[in-house]
């Protein structure tokens, strides 16, 4: 049975969805956009600023559920403009290091509230802390 996870550090859901759900040993994070979790405000319309905010939010959510970037097995990146891909790719690489997850990236027709980027994540739960 899927379990909705508590994510107090994350920006609040702005629709009828859960921020994070665990099922079958995996944690599924809903697509994250560039809201500041402390203020609830959107960050400026700059692809680099929004990319960092989205990836920081993902890190906060992963931390809330006992995981980190190393546990991410798949991401999907949605871009308002595929021409931003090189900038996003450079920032993304800094967050995932030497063992990046599988990834898809697309230009979307439009993103919620006019954001420039959205990223969704699938992470694998560890059986024990020793498996790190």
């Amino acid at each position: 049975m899927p379990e909705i996870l508590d994510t107090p550090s994350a920006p609040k859901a702005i629709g009828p969805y859960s921020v994070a759900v665990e099922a079958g040993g995996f944690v599924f994070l809903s697509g994250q956009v560039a809201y500041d979790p402390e203020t609830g405000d959107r960050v400026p319309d700059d692809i680099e600023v929004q990319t960092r905010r989205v990836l920081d939010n993902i890190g906060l959510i992963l931390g809330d559920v006992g995981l980190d970037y190393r546990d991410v097995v798949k991401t999907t990146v949605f871009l308002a403009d595929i021409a931003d891909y090189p900038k996003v790719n450079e920032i993304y690489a800094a967050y995932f290091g030497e063992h990046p997850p599988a990834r898809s990236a697309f230009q979307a027709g439009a993103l919620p509230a006019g954001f420039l980027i959205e990223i969704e994540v699938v992470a694998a739960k560890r059986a024990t802390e020793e498996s790190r």
Side-chain angles (χ1 to χ4, degrees):
M1 191 78 166
E3 177 186 355
I4 296 171
L5 302 175
D6 187 33
T7 56
S9 300
K12 302 300 175 222
I14 56 172
Y17 62 88
S18 299
V19 173
V21 175
E22 181 177 350
F26 292 94
V27 174
F28 301 85
L29 274 56
S30 292
Q32 295 299 302
V33 291
Y35 282 116
D36 182 317
E38 292 181 17
T39 66
D41 296 333
R42 68 182 285 139
V43 301
D45 287 338
D46 174 281
I47 191 61
E48 293 174 2
V49 172
Q50 286 196 7
T51 300
R52 284 185 186 91
R53 178 75 266 161
V54 167
L55 289 165
D56 286 347
N57 289 351
I58 288 168
L60 292 170
I61 296 165
L62 291 169
D64 283 345
V65 300
L67 302 174
D68 61 39
Y69 296 106
R70 295 172 295 178
D71 300 304
V72 175
V73 295
K74 172 71 168 73
T75 65
T76 305
V77 179
F78 302 94
L79 297 167
D81 185 349
I82 199 69
D84 289 330
Y85 182 79
K87 290 178 183 175
V88 169
N89 205 40
E90 184 177 336
I91 295 165
Y92 179 99
Y95 281 78
F96 288 102
E98 294 182 23
H99 302 286
R103 177 180 72 182
S104 301
F106 304 94
Q107 177 171 310
L111 294 174
F115 282 101
L116 303 176
I117 185 168
E118 180 174 352
I119 300 176
E120 64 181 26
V121 169
V122 178
K125 287 287 279 190
R126 289 169 286 217
T128 66
E129 205 47 38
E130 292 85 46
S131 66
R132 266 192 171 229

